[in-house]
Amino acid sequence: MKPDNYRFATRAIRAGQQPDPTTGAIMTPIYQTSTYAQEGIGVHKGFEYARVSNPTRSALEANVAALEGADHGAAFASGVAAIEALAKLHSAGDHIICGANVYGGTDRLFRQVLSRLGLEFSFVDTRDPVAIESALRPNTRMIFIETPTNPLMHVTDIAAAAQIARRQGARLVVDNTFATPYFQRPLELGADAIVHSSTKYLNGHSDVVGGIVLTSDGEIIEGLRFLQKSAGAVPGPMDCWLVLRGTKTLHVRMAAHDRNGRRIAERLHQDPRALRVFYAGLPDHPQHELARRQMSGFGGMMSIELGDRERAERFCRATRLFTLAESLGGVESLVSHPAAMTHAAVPQAEREAMGISEGLVRLSVGIEDVDDLLNDLDQALPKR
Ligand code: P1T
Protein backbone atom coordinates (compact mmCIF):
# COMPACT_ATOMS: atom_id res chain seq x y z
CA MET A 1 0.00 0.00 0.00
CA LYS A 2 1.04 3.60 -0.42
CA PRO A 3 0.52 4.77 3.16
CA ASP A 4 0.28 8.46 2.23
CA ASN A 5 -3.05 7.79 0.55
CA TYR A 6 -4.75 6.66 3.75
CA ARG A 7 -5.89 8.26 6.98
CA PHE A 8 -4.39 7.60 10.41
CA ALA A 9 -6.45 4.57 11.51
CA THR A 10 -5.90 2.79 8.20
CA ARG A 11 -2.18 3.48 8.31
CA ALA A 12 -2.02 2.25 11.94
CA ILE A 13 -3.49 -1.11 10.94
CA ARG A 14 -2.07 -1.61 7.46
CA ALA A 15 1.10 0.40 6.83
CA GLY A 16 4.29 -1.62 6.50
CA GLN A 17 2.45 -4.92 6.34
CA GLN A 18 1.69 -7.21 3.44
CA PRO A 19 0.55 -10.82 3.57
CA ASP A 20 3.63 -12.99 4.05
CA PRO A 21 4.93 -13.84 0.55
CA THR A 22 5.58 -17.53 1.31
CA THR A 23 2.37 -18.49 3.17
CA GLY A 24 -0.07 -15.62 2.80
CA ALA A 25 -0.15 -15.15 6.59
CA ILE A 26 -2.05 -11.91 7.23
CA MET A 27 -0.02 -11.07 10.32
CA THR A 28 3.66 -10.25 9.87
CA PRO A 29 5.55 -13.34 11.08
CA ILE A 30 8.01 -13.14 13.96
CA TYR A 31 11.15 -13.86 11.96
CA GLN A 32 12.98 -15.39 14.91
CA THR A 33 16.27 -15.90 13.15
CA SER A 34 19.75 -14.50 13.58
CA THR A 35 20.83 -15.08 10.00
CA TYR A 36 19.65 -15.84 6.43
CA ALA A 37 20.83 -18.39 3.86
CA GLN A 38 22.67 -16.91 0.90
CA GLU A 39 22.49 -18.46 -2.55
CA GLY A 40 26.04 -17.51 -3.32
CA ILE A 41 28.61 -15.12 -1.89
CA GLY A 42 26.89 -11.75 -1.89
CA VAL A 43 23.68 -13.17 -3.43
CA HIS A 44 20.77 -12.94 -0.97
CA LYS A 45 17.19 -11.74 -0.57
CA GLY A 46 18.13 -8.42 1.06
CA PHE A 47 18.73 -9.88 4.53
CA GLU A 48 22.19 -10.96 5.66
CA TYR A 49 22.38 -10.85 9.44
CA ALA A 50 19.68 -9.90 11.96
CA ARG A 51 21.64 -7.12 13.69
CA VAL A 52 21.61 -5.34 10.33
CA SER A 53 18.00 -6.10 9.38
CA ASN A 54 15.05 -8.33 10.10
CA PRO A 55 11.70 -8.41 8.26
CA THR A 56 9.63 -8.07 11.46
CA ARG A 57 11.69 -5.04 12.44
CA SER A 58 11.39 -3.58 8.93
CA ALA A 59 7.59 -3.90 9.12
CA LEU A 60 7.52 -2.04 12.44
CA GLU A 61 9.85 0.68 11.14
CA ALA A 62 7.67 1.23 8.07
CA ASN A 63 4.48 1.22 10.14
CA VAL A 64 5.53 3.88 12.65
CA ALA A 65 7.19 5.95 9.91
CA ALA A 66 3.82 6.06 8.13
CA LEU A 67 2.11 7.25 11.33
CA GLU A 68 4.60 10.10 11.81
CA GLY A 69 4.57 11.03 8.11
CA ALA A 70 8.24 10.03 7.81
CA ASP A 71 10.01 8.26 4.96
CA HIS A 72 12.08 6.04 7.28
CA GLY A 73 12.16 4.43 10.71
CA ALA A 74 14.98 2.88 12.70
CA ALA A 75 14.05 0.72 15.69
CA PHE A 76 16.24 0.28 18.75
CA ALA A 77 16.31 -1.91 21.84
CA SER A 78 14.98 0.87 24.10
CA GLY A 79 14.02 4.53 24.04
CA VAL A 80 17.34 5.57 25.54
CA ALA A 81 19.21 3.45 22.96
CA ALA A 82 17.35 5.36 20.22
CA ILE A 83 18.26 8.68 21.84
CA GLU A 84 21.87 7.57 22.24
CA ALA A 85 22.04 6.70 18.53
CA LEU A 86 20.74 10.17 17.62
CA ALA A 87 23.40 11.77 19.81
CA LYS A 88 26.07 9.49 18.32
CA LEU A 89 25.40 10.89 14.87
CA HIS A 90 27.64 13.64 16.24
CA SER A 91 31.29 13.75 17.28
CA ALA A 92 33.38 14.83 20.25
CA GLY A 93 33.41 18.63 20.34
CA ASP A 94 29.89 18.99 18.95
CA HIS A 95 27.31 20.80 21.08
CA ILE A 96 23.77 19.63 21.80
CA ILE A 97 21.04 21.76 23.37
CA CYS A 98 18.68 19.66 25.47
CA GLY A 99 15.44 20.70 27.12
CA ALA A 100 15.91 21.30 30.86
CA ASN A 101 13.01 19.00 31.63
CA VAL A 102 13.33 15.67 29.83
CA TYR A 103 12.97 12.06 31.03
CA GLY A 104 15.53 11.49 33.83
CA GLY A 105 17.20 8.70 31.86
CA THR A 106 17.80 11.04 28.91
CA ASP A 107 19.34 13.59 31.28
CA ARG A 108 21.54 10.86 32.79
CA LEU A 109 22.65 9.57 29.37
CA PHE A 110 23.67 13.06 28.24
CA ARG A 111 25.25 14.29 31.50
CA GLN A 112 26.84 11.12 32.83
CA VAL A 113 27.69 9.08 29.73
CA LEU A 114 27.98 11.11 26.54
CA SER A 115 29.61 14.19 28.13
CA ARG A 116 32.47 11.90 29.16
CA LEU A 117 32.94 11.06 25.49
CA GLY A 118 33.37 14.69 24.49
CA LEU A 119 29.90 15.76 23.38
CA GLU A 120 28.94 19.10 24.92
CA PHE A 121 25.46 19.69 26.35
CA SER A 122 23.49 22.74 27.50
CA PHE A 123 20.24 22.18 29.38
CA VAL A 124 17.82 24.96 28.54
CA ASP A 125 14.19 25.82 29.28
CA THR A 126 13.03 25.36 25.70
CA ARG A 127 9.56 26.75 26.47
CA ASP A 128 11.24 30.07 25.69
CA PRO A 129 12.56 30.21 22.10
CA VAL A 130 14.84 33.10 23.11
CA ALA A 131 16.53 30.79 25.64
CA ILE A 132 17.20 28.27 22.85
CA GLU A 133 18.61 31.00 20.63
CA SER A 134 20.86 32.30 23.44
CA ALA A 135 22.28 28.82 24.07
CA LEU A 136 23.44 28.39 20.46
CA ARG A 137 27.18 28.04 19.89
CA PRO A 138 29.04 27.82 16.60
CA ASN A 139 29.36 24.05 17.21
CA THR A 140 25.67 23.43 18.06
CA ARG A 141 24.54 20.47 15.93
CA MET A 142 21.36 19.26 17.60
CA ILE A 143 18.45 20.65 19.60
CA PHE A 144 16.71 17.90 21.54
CA ILE A 145 13.30 18.57 23.08
CA GLU A 146 10.49 16.69 24.70
CA THR A 147 7.03 18.19 24.37
CA PRO A 148 4.96 17.82 26.46
CA THR A 149 7.69 17.03 28.99
CA ASN A 150 7.99 14.25 31.49
CA PRO A 151 6.71 14.93 34.14
CA LEU A 152 5.93 18.67 34.19
CA MET A 153 4.00 18.77 30.91
CA HIS A 154 5.96 21.80 29.66
CA VAL A 155 5.24 22.57 26.01
CA THR A 156 7.82 23.79 23.48
CA ASP A 157 6.85 25.55 20.26
CA ILE A 158 8.11 22.97 17.75
CA ALA A 159 7.83 25.26 14.71
CA ALA A 160 9.78 28.04 16.46
CA ALA A 161 12.48 25.60 17.61
CA ALA A 162 12.68 24.19 14.06
CA GLN A 163 13.29 27.67 12.64
CA ILE A 164 16.10 28.29 15.11
CA ALA A 165 17.66 24.93 14.29
CA ARG A 166 17.41 25.59 10.55
CA ARG A 167 19.06 29.01 10.78
CA GLN A 168 21.88 27.42 12.77
CA GLY A 169 22.28 24.42 10.45
CA ALA A 170 21.47 22.15 13.41
CA ARG A 171 18.94 19.32 13.69
CA LEU A 172 15.77 19.49 15.73
CA VAL A 173 14.86 16.19 17.38
CA VAL A 174 11.53 15.83 19.20
CA ASP A 175 10.79 13.11 21.73
CA ASN A 176 7.13 12.49 20.88
CA THR A 177 6.58 9.70 23.41
CA PHE A 178 3.86 11.47 25.44
CA ALA A 179 1.78 12.89 22.59
CA THR A 180 2.27 10.09 20.02
CA PRO A 181 1.67 10.74 16.30
CA TYR A 182 -2.06 10.48 16.98
CA PHE A 183 -1.99 13.91 18.66
CA GLN A 184 1.20 15.57 17.41
CA ARG A 185 3.30 15.23 14.26
CA PRO A 186 6.57 17.13 14.73
CA LEU A 187 7.92 16.51 11.21
CA GLU A 188 4.99 18.51 9.81
CA LEU A 189 6.09 21.38 12.09
CA GLY A 190 9.68 21.33 10.80
CA ALA A 191 11.47 18.83 13.07
CA ASP A 192 14.21 16.72 11.45
CA ALA A 193 13.66 13.56 13.48
CA ILE A 194 11.30 12.12 16.06
CA VAL A 195 12.14 9.63 18.77
CA HIS A 196 9.81 7.44 20.82
CA SER A 197 10.15 5.19 23.75
CA SER A 198 7.96 2.56 22.08
CA THR A 199 7.81 0.97 25.54
CA LYS A 200 4.99 3.46 26.14
CA TYR A 201 1.93 4.34 24.04
CA LEU A 202 3.10 2.85 20.73
CA ASN A 203 3.17 -0.59 22.32
CA GLY A 204 0.57 0.31 24.91
CA HIS A 205 0.48 -2.91 26.91
CA SER A 206 3.52 -2.61 29.22
CA ASP A 207 5.11 -5.80 27.93
CA VAL A 208 8.03 -4.51 25.80
CA VAL A 209 11.01 -2.15 26.11
CA GLY A 210 11.81 -0.48 22.79
CA GLY A 211 12.66 2.72 20.97
CA ILE A 212 12.30 4.07 17.45
CA VAL A 213 13.46 7.06 15.40
CA LEU A 214 11.45 8.43 12.45
CA THR A 215 12.84 10.80 9.86
CA SER A 216 12.70 11.79 6.20
CA ASP A 217 16.31 13.02 6.24
CA GLY A 218 18.53 10.72 4.17
CA GLU A 219 21.69 11.58 6.08
CA ILE A 220 20.06 10.88 9.47
CA ILE A 221 18.63 7.51 8.43
CA GLU A 222 21.91 6.48 6.83
CA GLY A 223 23.72 7.35 10.08
CA LEU A 224 21.18 5.45 12.19
CA ARG A 225 21.32 2.33 10.00
CA PHE A 226 25.10 2.44 10.29
CA LEU A 227 24.74 2.64 14.10
CA GLN A 228 22.21 -0.22 14.20
CA LYS A 229 24.81 -2.31 12.40
CA SER A 230 27.91 -0.97 14.15
CA ALA A 231 26.73 -0.45 17.74
CA GLY A 232 23.99 -3.07 17.69
CA ALA A 233 21.33 -1.81 20.12
CA VAL A 234 18.58 -3.40 18.03
CA PRO A 235 15.28 -4.90 19.23
CA GLY A 236 14.47 -8.60 18.85
CA PRO A 237 11.77 -9.72 16.41
CA MET A 238 9.32 -10.75 19.15
CA ASP A 239 9.45 -7.26 20.67
CA CYS A 240 9.01 -5.65 17.24
CA TRP A 241 5.98 -7.85 16.65
CA LEU A 242 4.45 -6.86 19.98
CA VAL A 243 4.87 -3.15 19.23
CA LEU A 244 3.40 -3.74 15.76
CA ARG A 245 0.41 -5.38 17.41
CA GLY A 246 0.16 -2.32 19.70
CA THR A 247 0.20 0.30 16.95
CA LYS A 248 -2.84 -1.31 15.31
CA THR A 249 -4.97 0.10 18.14
CA LEU A 250 -3.03 3.31 18.78
CA HIS A 251 -5.84 5.55 17.55
CA VAL A 252 -8.47 3.73 19.62
CA ARG A 253 -6.37 3.72 22.76
CA MET A 254 -5.22 7.34 22.45
CA ALA A 255 -8.78 8.58 22.04
CA ALA A 256 -9.71 6.69 25.22
CA HIS A 257 -6.63 7.93 27.14
CA ASP A 258 -7.56 11.46 26.10
CA ARG A 259 -11.20 11.12 27.22
CA ASN A 260 -10.19 9.72 30.60
CA GLY A 261 -7.28 12.16 30.94
CA ARG A 262 -9.46 15.22 30.39
CA ARG A 263 -12.13 14.05 32.83
CA ILE A 264 -9.58 13.30 35.53
CA ALA A 265 -7.56 16.50 35.03
CA GLU A 266 -10.74 18.59 35.25
CA ARG A 267 -11.89 16.81 38.41
CA LEU A 268 -8.47 17.13 40.09
CA HIS A 269 -8.34 20.78 39.08
CA GLN A 270 -11.50 21.39 41.11
CA ASP A 271 -10.25 19.39 44.12
CA PRO A 272 -8.46 21.54 46.72
CA ARG A 273 -6.46 18.50 47.86
CA ALA A 274 -4.48 18.71 44.59
CA LEU A 275 -2.57 21.99 44.92
CA ARG A 276 -1.67 22.11 41.22
CA VAL A 277 -2.52 20.01 38.22
CA PHE A 278 -0.08 19.90 35.30
CA TYR A 279 -2.02 18.96 32.16
CA ALA A 280 -1.71 20.78 28.83
CA GLY A 281 -5.45 20.36 28.21
CA LEU A 282 -6.47 22.58 31.13
CA PRO A 283 -7.24 26.17 30.11
CA ASP A 284 -5.05 27.46 32.97
CA HIS A 285 -1.96 25.58 31.70
CA PRO A 286 0.45 28.44 30.86
CA GLN A 287 0.88 27.12 27.31
CA HIS A 288 -2.60 25.81 26.69
CA GLU A 289 -3.06 27.89 23.53
CA LEU A 290 0.23 26.66 22.06
CA ALA A 291 -0.66 23.07 23.02
CA ARG A 292 -4.01 23.44 21.24
CA ARG A 293 -2.24 24.75 18.15
CA GLN A 294 0.34 22.01 17.79
CA MET A 295 -1.55 19.07 19.32
CA SER A 296 -4.95 17.65 18.47
CA GLY A 297 -5.49 16.11 21.92
CA PHE A 298 -3.79 15.93 25.31
CA GLY A 299 -3.75 12.24 26.22
CA GLY A 300 -3.47 10.57 29.59
CA MET A 301 -0.31 11.98 31.18
CA MET A 302 -0.50 14.51 34.01
CA SER A 303 1.18 15.40 37.28
CA ILE A 304 -0.22 16.78 40.51
CA GLU A 305 1.42 18.68 43.34
CA LEU A 306 0.36 17.39 46.74
CA GLY A 307 2.51 19.69 48.90
CA ASP A 308 5.15 17.44 50.48
CA ARG A 309 6.77 13.99 50.42
CA GLU A 310 4.61 12.64 53.22
CA ARG A 311 1.39 13.45 51.34
CA ALA A 312 2.82 12.05 48.12
CA GLU A 313 3.75 8.81 49.90
CA ARG A 314 0.32 8.51 51.51
CA PHE A 315 -1.32 9.00 48.10
CA CYS A 316 0.90 6.41 46.38
CA ARG A 317 0.15 3.89 49.15
CA ALA A 318 -3.58 4.53 49.05
CA THR A 319 -4.39 4.17 45.34
CA ARG A 320 -5.85 0.80 44.40
CA LEU A 321 -6.18 1.01 40.62
CA PHE A 322 -3.33 3.46 39.98
CA THR A 323 -0.39 1.08 40.55
CA LEU A 324 2.89 2.54 41.84
CA ALA A 325 5.40 1.81 39.08
CA GLU A 326 7.88 3.34 36.67
CA SER A 327 6.79 3.71 33.04
CA LEU A 328 3.60 4.97 31.42
CA GLY A 329 1.43 4.72 28.36
CA GLY A 330 -0.10 1.29 28.96
CA VAL A 331 -3.79 0.51 29.09
CA GLU A 332 -3.56 0.23 32.88
CA SER A 333 -3.27 3.30 35.13
CA LEU A 334 0.02 3.92 36.93
CA VAL A 335 1.25 6.42 39.48
CA SER A 336 4.88 7.39 40.07
CA HIS A 337 6.96 9.75 42.19
CA PRO A 338 9.34 11.46 39.74
CA ALA A 339 11.79 12.89 42.32
CA ALA A 340 12.49 9.42 43.75
CA MET A 341 11.89 7.34 40.64
CA THR A 342 12.06 8.46 37.00
CA HIS A 343 14.00 11.68 37.66
CA ALA A 344 16.18 10.62 40.61
CA ALA A 345 19.28 10.93 38.38
CA VAL A 346 18.63 14.63 37.61
CA PRO A 347 20.84 16.82 39.85
CA GLN A 348 18.73 17.76 42.87
CA ALA A 349 19.18 21.53 42.50
CA GLU A 350 17.99 21.43 38.88
CA ARG A 351 15.13 19.11 39.74
CA GLU A 352 13.89 21.44 42.45
CA ALA A 353 14.43 24.59 40.40
CA MET A 354 12.14 23.31 37.66
CA GLY A 355 9.45 22.04 40.04
CA ILE A 356 10.01 18.29 40.30
CA SER A 357 9.34 18.50 44.02
CA GLU A 358 8.99 15.84 46.70
CA GLY A 359 5.24 16.48 46.64
CA LEU A 360 4.84 15.88 42.91
CA VAL A 361 3.22 12.66 41.70
CA ARG A 362 2.71 11.65 38.06
CA LEU A 363 -0.33 9.83 36.74
CA SER A 364 -0.43 7.72 33.60
CA VAL A 365 -4.18 7.52 33.13
CA GLY A 366 -5.17 4.21 31.57
CA ILE A 367 -8.31 3.27 29.74
CA GLU A 368 -10.20 1.56 32.55
CA ASP A 369 -13.70 2.84 33.36
CA VAL A 370 -13.23 6.52 34.18
CA ASP A 371 -15.65 6.49 37.12
CA ASP A 372 -13.64 3.75 38.80
CA LEU A 373 -10.48 5.80 38.27
CA LEU A 374 -12.12 8.95 39.64
CA ASN A 375 -13.32 7.04 42.72
CA ASP A 376 -9.84 5.62 43.25
CA LEU A 377 -8.27 9.09 43.19
CA ASP A 378 -10.98 10.49 45.44
CA GLN A 379 -10.39 7.87 48.15
CA ALA A 380 -6.59 8.18 47.86
CA LEU A 381 -6.09 11.96 47.90
CA PRO A 382 -4.78 12.91 51.35
CA LYS A 383 -6.95 15.32 53.34
CA ARG A 384 -5.55 18.78 53.93
O1 P1T B 1 12.58 3.33 28.94
P1 P1T B 1 13.00 3.52 27.50
O2 P1T B 1 12.24 2.72 26.53
O3 P1T B 1 14.49 3.38 27.33
O4 P1T B 1 12.63 5.02 27.09
C1 P1T B 1 13.23 6.14 27.65
C2 P1T B 1 12.30 7.31 27.60
C3 P1T B 1 12.44 8.25 26.58
N1 P1T B 1 11.62 9.31 26.48
C4 P1T B 1 10.62 9.51 27.35
C5 P1T B 1 9.75 10.71 27.22
C6 P1T B 1 10.39 8.59 28.38
O5 P1T B 1 9.37 8.81 29.22
C7 P1T B 1 11.25 7.46 28.51
C8 P1T B 1 11.07 6.45 29.59
N2 P1T B 1 10.29 6.89 30.67
C9 P1T B 1 9.98 6.15 31.78
C10 P1T B 1 10.42 4.89 31.98
C11 P1T B 1 9.14 6.83 32.77
O6 P1T B 1 8.56 6.18 33.66
O7 P1T B 1 9.03 8.06 32.67
Side-chain angles (χ1 to χ4, degrees):
M1 76 183 271
K2 285 198 63 171
D4 292 351
N5 298 339
Y6 293 99
R7 294 183 177 79
F8 193 91
T10 311
R11 279 181 276 151
I13 293 167
R14 307 296 290 272
Q17 292 157 92
Q18 296 84 35
D20 179 48
T22 50
T23 63
I26 288 288
M27 286 303 125
T28 305
I30 303 163
Y31 284 93
Q32 193 74 40
T33 186
S34 59
T35 193
Y36 310 87
Q38 305 195 12
E39 284 159 43
I41 297 172
V43 186
H44 52 74
K45 299 184 162 69
F47 296 93
E48 294 166 84
Y49 185 57
R51 172 159 31 78
V52 181
S53 57
N54 175 286
T56 318
R57 191 170 98 206
S58 304
L60 172 65
E61 292 171 339
N63 177 261
V64 183
L67 295 182
E68 287 285 12
D71 291 342
H72 316 283
F76 290 88
S78 67
V80 289
I83 294 167
E84 183 187 35
L86 282 162
K88 281 187 174 165
L89 294 174
H90 306 96
S91 304
D94 287 347
H95 176 240
I96 294 173
I97 294 174
C98 176
N101 177 207
V102 289
Y103 166 56
T106 305
D107 186 285
R108 180 177 54 211
L109 170 69
F110 287 174
R111 269 183 222 272
Q112 298 188 43
V113 182
L114 297 178
S115 316
R116 282 197 283 109
L117 306 182
L119 287 171
E120 297 169 17
F121 292 92
S122 299
F123 295 86
V124 169
D125 186 343
T126 57
R127 283 176 295 179
D128 178 8
V130 177
I132 305 179
E133 193 104 48
S134 317
L136 290 173
R137 298 180 192 164
N139 56 340
T140 305
R141 299 282 176 263
M142 179 165 100
I143 301 173
F144 181 94
I145 60 172
E146 248 177 63
T147 181
T149 63
N150 179 358
L152 292 168
M153 311 304 296
H154 291 168
V155 179
T156 291
D157 186 331
I158 297 172
Q163 272 180 19
I164 296 168
R166 188 132 309 136
R167 278 202 300 276
Q168 167 77 13
R171 292 165 172 147
L172 176 68
V173 174
V174 178
D175 184 329
N176 204 26
T177 298
F178 271 32
T180 82
Y182 187 65
F183 289 131
Q184 175 171 278
R185 283 189 289 283
L187 293 189
E188 291 171 10
L189 299 169
D192 298 288
I194 293 165
V195 63
H196 282 270
S197 168
S198 44
T199 315
K200 314 300 190 247
Y201 287 110
L202 293 183
N203 174 59
H205 295 75
S206 303
D207 49 14
V208 163
V209 170
I212 191 161
V213 179
L214 303 316
T215 184
S216 296
D217 182 308
E219 203 177 276
I220 294 178
I221 195 64
E222 198 182 314
L224 293 174
R225 295 248 178 269
F226 183 72
L227 283 165
Q228 284 179 316
K229 175 165 72 178
S230 308
V234 293
M238 177 75 193
D239 284 355
C240 291
W241 185 87
L242 284 166
V243 179
L244 204 47
R245 163 178 268 213
T247 56
K248 290 190 172 65
T249 55
L250 183 66
H251 52 297
V252 184
R253 288 184 286 109
M254 290 316 290
H257 282 292
D258 187 58
R259 269 197 309 278
N260 283 2
R262 286 178 202 237
R263 278 283 298 283
I264 286 172
E266 280 159 20
R267 177 72 68 82
L268 289 172
H269 187 52
Q270 288 158 9
D271 193 319
R273 293 174 294 175
L275 302 183
R276 256 188 91 182
V277 182
F278 301 81
Y279 184 68
L282 287 173
D284 78 340
H285 184 285
Q287 296 158 293
H288 179 62
E289 284 313 314
L290 168 62
R292 281 170 56 114
R293 260 203 324 276
Q294 70 182 18
M295 302 167 73
S296 56
F298 307 106
M301 293 307 299
M302 67 191 69
S303 294
I304 50 178
E305 176 57 57
L306 296 176
D308 55 40
R309 173 71 175 247
E310 194 268 326
R311 279 201 174 76
E313 285 195 12
R314 262 200 285 157
F315 176 76
C316 292
R317 267 199 308 274
T319 52
R320 292 171 191 149
L321 287 173
F322 283 85
T323 307
L324 180 62
E326 305 249 357
S327 205
L328 60 105
V331 290
E332 72 292 327
S333 294
L334 300 179
V335 57
S336 72
H337 185 266
M341 296 168 71
T342 52
H343 290 71
V346 179
Q348 188 180 358
E350 318 225 353
R351 209 166 61 212
E352 286 171 1
M354 72 179 112
I356 304 179
S357 69
E358 293 292 331
L360 190 80
V361 297
R362 188 188 74 186
L363 301 179
S364 172
V365 174
I367 60 173
E368 301 95 333
D369 187 287
V370 72
D371 289 318
D372 288 335
L373 296 178
L374 287 166
N375 288 341
D376 190 34
L377 295 172
D378 187 48
Q379 64 80 29
L381 279 166
K383 292 193 176 53
R384 296 215 62 77

